[in-house]
Amino acid sequence: MQPHSSRHHERPAGRTPSGARNTVASRPDFQVVRGARRRIGVTAMSVSVGGFLLFVLASLFLPEVLGRPLVGHVTLGLAAAAGQFVVMALTVWRYTAHMKRRVDPTVDRLRAELRRDAERRTRTPRQERRFGAW
């Protein structure tokens, strides 16, 4: 089967070729970034989805508990529903803080190394520049 000739299947500008991608993937820093990103992603998703699932299950099986009034017309269920926004906000805040503290510095270091490697590969020796190709 022939590859699709759409522009969406072309390599985006500024991306590294697959050879450079393989050299990056073999670096220990890249493995640290992948692991840290995966751990925080799984944790954040588990907390967010778990909290929402707990609320849904409680509303399904314990409607009399969630229907208890707390203050005025505000019930325990309404407070728990509003608590989902708090859980989501805390999850996003924790994810962002973790990425800035643990992942971003390593990614910046890897990008700098890739730029240096690319500059070294594109730099031609002084002798070739002086005489050039005939």
Side-chain angles (χ1 to χ4, degrees), residues 19 78 96 114 126 133:
L78 186 59
T96 306
L114 280 175
R126 187 171 289 247

Side-chain angles (χ1 to χ4, degrees), residues 33 35 38-39 45 48 51-52 57 61 65 69 79 82 85 88 93 105 114 121:
V33 167
R38 187 176 295 131
R39 275 190 303 278
M45 184 198 64
S48 298
F52 182 72
L57 290 175
F61 294 111
V65 173
F85 290 104
M88 187 59 69
W93 170 72
L114 280 175
R121 280 193 305 271

Side-chain angles (χ1 to χ4, degrees), residues 62-131:
L62 303 170
E64 66 279 350
V65 173
L66 294 181
R68 290 184 186 156
L70 287 179
V71 177
H73 294 291
V74 177
T75 63
L76 186 60
L78 186 59
Q84 291 303 307
F85 290 104
V86 174
V87 168
M88 187 59 69
L90 287 173
T91 303
V92 168
W93 170 72
R94 223 23 240 139
Y95 179 85
T96 306
H98 175 81
M99 294 300 272
K100 283 182 182 177
R101 186 173 34 110
R102 297 255 172 115
V103 176
D104 289 351
T106 307
V107 169
D108 291 341
R109 189 171 47 248
L110 279 170
R111 282 187 184 136
E113 287 177 19
L114 280 175
R115 280 190 204 106
R116 281 194 303 270
D117 290 349
E119 287 172 3
R120 266 188 241 125
R121 280 193 305 271
T122 59
R123 197 177 301 145
T124 57
R126 187 171 289 247
Q127 184 180 6
E128 287 180 29
R129 274 188 280 150
R130 194 169 75 197
F131 296 111

